Every structure is written in C-alpha cells, then in structure tokens.
Amino acid sequence: MTLTDQQPLGSPFSASTTADDIVGGLDLSGRTAVVTGGYSGLGLETVRALTAAGARVVVPARRPDVARAALKELKDCEIVPMDLADTDSVRSAAAHIRDRLDRVDLLMAVAGVMATPERRVGPGWEGQFAANHLGHFTLACELHPLLAAAGGARVVVNSSAGHTLTGIRWHDPHFRTGYDKWLAYGQAKTANALFAVHLDAVGKGDGVRAFALHPGKIITGLQREMTLQAQIDRGWVDEHGTVIGDGFKTPSQGAATGLWAATSPLLDGRGGLYLEDCDIAHVSAPGTPMDDGGVRAYAIDPDEAARLWSLSLAATGATPIPG
C-alpha cells in the first residue's frame, strides 16, 4: 500500500448508503463471519445484514446473555463468550472458534469503547488501547489459520475520525502519566488503522486482505461513558437525547462502509486501505478539521504499522503470523 493507493475509487455508494443497500442482491451462503460487538449498535446492524444475505455469523460477546437477547430472532448466529480487554479470554474464544469452524471468510472488528475514565487492564495496559486494539490484534492473530483457509478472507477494522487526535504515543502508549480520555481514544483509533495496514502486509500472501474505516458520526452505545450534558455541549443531541447534530448517520448507514469493505468487488486485490462513506478515503493534511474526512498519513504509514505490530506482539504474546 502506498499513499497513491489511498484515494477514492468513485464507488457507486455514498454517506447515505444503508446496510441493506450494500447486501441487497448479495448471496453470502457458505460464508462465515466473526463480528465483534455484533449485538448492539453498528455491530448488530452488521450481523443483521450478513445473516439476511445468508452468512453464518459468530458473535464474540462480553455479555453473552445480552447478546442472546439481541440476536434471538436471527438464524445462523452463534455467540461465544469473550472480553476484548482480557487476552486470555480472547485466546479462549479463538480456540473455541477454531474447534467449531474450518474457515473464516470475514473478521469484522466492530466492538469498541470511547472516551472512558482511566482504566487499567491486564498488566496495567490503558483500557481503550487494550480493548480497541490489543484485543482485536490477538483475535486476528489467533484466527489467522482460519482466515488463510478461506482463500480470500477480509478483515475489516472499525477505526474513526478520532484518529486525527493523535498518532501512537511511543513515549507513553499506556498513559502512565497524564491520562486524557480523548487522546487515549484517538491513539486507539490510530492503532486500529495501523493494524489493518500491517495485517494486510503479512496476510496477503495467504489471501487475507485488511481494511480500516471510519463509519461516520453515529449515536450508539459507544457514547455510554459520556454524560447527556457532555453530548449536549458538543451539539450532538438535545436535552431529550435526540440527535440534532449535522452529518450524523443512522446505525444502518454507519454499518454500510464496513459491509462494503467486506464484500465489494471494487476492493478485490487491494488492502491496507482506510475507507469512509463506502469508498477509499483521501489523505488529509495535518491540522484539517476532523469532520472534513480523510485519513492522516501517520495512520497508514507502513513503518509505524510495523512498529506497532512488534509492540503488540511483544505485549500480548499472540501467535505470530508468518509473512
């Protein structure tokens, strides 16, 4: 992947495209998808669309009972207990999936947390970096044999325009001093984008291609750690919690770019790219407003991606991917 690859294709879809628009007419029978966060918000819309198109879907869930209730109407949907912030839990879930399946065609990393109070997990890791990045990193590494067995799998990682807040803080990635919930979120979202870059580099020899994306601005459970007043102050909602901000998508519209990444023939032979509004995003200049779209060069830099990969492998002890 080079910066010249990171430019819009002229996709037939747009910011207003819905999940149903993407899967309409698609037959995903015989395909298997693993969708994290698949029982609420964008993940639930993603699972609904995939199962409607005939795919079998496995949903790793930190709250299996909640997941079962949310997904009870859907066929070909299996729930596996998993906590992304606990790498032992991730390994256990991956082992269970490997025992049950012989291939995974789609791995969709939709789950995430945003702007949380300071939390330490595992050996003292910063919680947002752990749940948003290190958990998904571990899951992808442990499921790589099943992805390789699919002969053309795609991994789709939900990043965010929040990546524009900061690159990787190599001097202090776990915020040992001066925790800032928004910088921690921004770093985790940059990590999501860089993860896709290097996963694509090591996986493409096995036919595994990876993409990161900004789903758009959507009010979902992701805002659960923010007070209503904080959302009002940002101009997102009114005092009743009704969305009033400009440029917000519905959850179905928010799920569309991930589904496009997972299924579009326009992306055949491509990978390591950052997507938005059902197209490849442009590279944004430093200092441009977050809402102007695009991806910062540091979030798709192959050297930064390789460095993050090494850090993540050392931290998690995940099974290395040959490549």
Side-chain angles (χ1 to χ4, degrees), residues 94-312:
H96 178 84
I97 293 169
R98 290 197 307 268
D99 286 344
R100 298 292 297 270
L101 303 176
D102 58 7
R103 59 187 277 174
V104 170
D105 300 274
L106 300 171
L107 171 56
M108 305 191 68
V110 184
V113 294
M114 181 177 81
T116 61
E118 184 172 5
R119 290 192 186 120
R120 298 284 152 191
V121 300
W125 296 336
E126 190 279 309
Q128 295 190 72
F129 188 73
N132 292 344
H133 169 60
L134 293 174
H136 283 124
F137 172 86
T138 304
L139 183 63
C141 287
E142 301 303 326
L143 291 183
H144 184 78
L146 298 187
L147 293 163
R154 291 187 186 180
V155 179
V156 180
V157 186
N158 277 32
S159 179
S160 162
H163 82 272
T164 60
L165 295 169
T166 180
I168 304 299
R169 293 160 38 97
W170 299 112
H171 66 289
D172 185 18
H174 292 292
F175 288 82
R176 305 293 182 197
T177 58
Y179 180 74
D180 180 301
K181 65 182 182 180
W182 284 108
L183 284 182
Y185 176 68
Q187 174 181 248
K189 295 291 103 178
T190 292
N192 288 147
L194 291 171
F195 166 51
V197 170
H198 200 73
L199 177 58
D200 188 78
V202 298
K204 61 185 176 186
D206 292 322
V208 181
R209 306 311 299 258
F211 302 90
L213 64 98
H214 171 44
K217 294 195 299 183
I218 312 104
I219 297 293
T220 65
L222 188 64
Q223 288 80 21
R224 71 177 71 88
E225 301 281 359
M226 296 179 67
T227 64
L228 177 62
Q229 189 58 51
Q231 295 180 57
I232 292 170
D233 291 345
R234 286 176 173 262
W236 293 352
V237 300
D238 64 17
E239 65 270 23
H240 305 295
T242 303
V243 177
I244 58 171
D246 291 335
F248 278 87
K249 295 183 179 184
T250 66
S252 180
Q253 290 169 334
T257 299
L259 288 162
W260 182 76
T263 62
S264 176
L266 290 175
L267 295 172
D268 287 351
R270 298 173 184 263
L273 298 165
Y274 181 96
L275 316 174
E276 65 184 356
D277 295 341
C278 300
D279 206 337
I280 299 173
H282 65 275
V283 180
S284 60
T288 54
M290 182 188 300
D291 288 347
D292 284 1
V295 59
R296 296 290 199 260
Y298 61 69
I300 51 172
D301 182 286
D303 294 333
E304 290 283 286
R307 185 177 180 186
L308 177 66
W309 190 272
S310 296
L311 179 155
S312 305

Side-chain angles (χ1 to χ4, degrees), residues 35-77:
V35 182
T36 70
Y39 56 103
S40 65
L42 306 187
L44 179 56
E45 294 293 336
T46 300
V47 172
R48 282 178 179 151
L50 291 172
T51 56
R56 176 185 184 183
V57 182
V58 176
V59 178
R62 186 171 57 86
R63 298 172 295 165
D65 292 346
V66 176
R68 272 188 280 275
L71 299 167
K72 65 179 185 294
E73 307 295 331
L74 302 182
K75 61 180 182 178
D76 291 328
C77 196

